[in-house]
Amino acid sequence: MIKAVYPGSFDPVTLGHLDIIRRAAKVVDELIIGVLVNSAKTSFFTLEERVEMIEQVTKDLPNVRVKKFEGMTVNFARENEAHLIIRGLRAVTDFEYEMQIAQTNHMIAPDIDTMFFTTSLEYAFLSSTIVKEVAYYGEDITKFVMPEVIDAFNKKHEVLGLKKLEKLG
Ligand code: ADP
């Protein structure tokens, strides 16, 4: 039984993340998505909102679960009896940072390995930050996120007095 954790901020979950989730869920028995309670970064969506969006967009994947976590990923993995950490690699810029984290994690917890999935080309330059930026200006984000995420943006935008986003095909 192979269990893996896929940690991140997911602020919000994008089609790039979902691509990694779908591919990882095919090769492991159970995938636990860990949504980070990040004290250093301020997030646009609350922890509950980020968790809910991932639950909605992964509801067709029976071996995927979503959990919140705080602290080190290796501890989150251990608590869930997972020996594998999944990460996604986009353009070259991710490489150095991801290598550093993976090496450090492996030093701390030699029984836990990191497995990288290279992003599908169409999502290579997609990030949650870019999605938030485009959404802020009221532009179409249907190529970047699932419709449930657009709904979540619109709830926030209503409160903040920002433009309503269309769900174009
Ligand atoms: P973090 O704050 O930990 O970087 P993110 O939510 O930004 O969290 O990303 C979580 C993981 O998903 C990271 O491994 C990141 O490299 C990966 N990822 C983010 N966007 C994409 C994408 N478009 N394609 C593939 N992987 C991605």
Side-chain angles (χ1 to χ4, degrees):
M1 166 97 176
I2 304 173
K3 261 194 194 185
V5 294
Y6 176 33
S9 315
F10 305 104
D11 185 34
V13 63
T14 67
L15 294 182
H17 294 129
L18 198 57
D19 174 53
I20 304 291
I21 293 168
R22 288 191 176 282
R23 286 157 61 200
K26 270 190 209 159
V27 298
V28 302
D29 297 296
E30 189 176 357
L31 181 67
I32 302 154
I33 303 173
V35 186
L36 195 59
V37 180
N38 202 336
S39 47
K41 271 200 214 169
T42 47
S43 60
F44 181 73
F45 290 102
T46 66
L47 185 62
E48 287 69 28
E49 287 165 343
R50 286 180 278 147
V51 168
E52 196 185 332
M53 279 184 271
I54 305 173
E55 280 171 351
Q56 287 170 342
V57 302
T58 58
K59 58 179 184 295
D60 62 318
L61 302 170
N63 62 337
V64 172
R65 282 197 292 148
V66 191
K67 285 188 178 180
K68 310 167 187 170
F69 85 101
E70 206 167 355
M72 295 207 66
T73 303
V74 287
N75 292 332
F76 177 63
R78 281 190 181 130
E79 282 161 20
N80 287 285
E81 291 161 344
H83 293 274
L84 204 55
I85 297 169
I86 304 289
R87 293 289 285 178
L89 272 185
R90 283 165 292 189
V92 279
T93 43
D94 274 340
F95 187 79
E96 211 176 307
Y97 174 67
E98 291 292 341
M99 276 294 275
Q100 203 175 6
I101 301 178
Q103 299 288 11
T104 308
N105 283 341
H106 200 63
M107 297 275 280
I108 299 169
D111 56 321
I112 299 175
D113 259 305
T114 303
M115 190 184 215
F116 291 105
F117 283 80
T118 50
T119 174
S120 297
L121 265 184
E122 65 261 49
Y123 307 128
F125 294 95
L126 182 55
S127 70
S128 299
T129 307
I130 292 290
V131 171
K132 281 179 282 192
E133 184 88 3
V134 176
Y136 177 82
Y137 291 106
E139 295 296 331
D140 179 29
I141 55 167
T142 44
K143 288 198 173 79
F144 307 143
V145 296
M146 293 288 279
E148 292 85 346
V149 175
I150 300 181
D151 291 338
F153 264 112
N154 278 335
K155 270 191 205 157
K156 280 263 189 237
H157 280 198
E158 207 177 327
V159 176
L160 298 171
L162 294 170
K163 198 176 153 190
K164 185 172 189 290
L165 305 174
E166 299 296 329
K167 278 197 265 180
L168 305 171

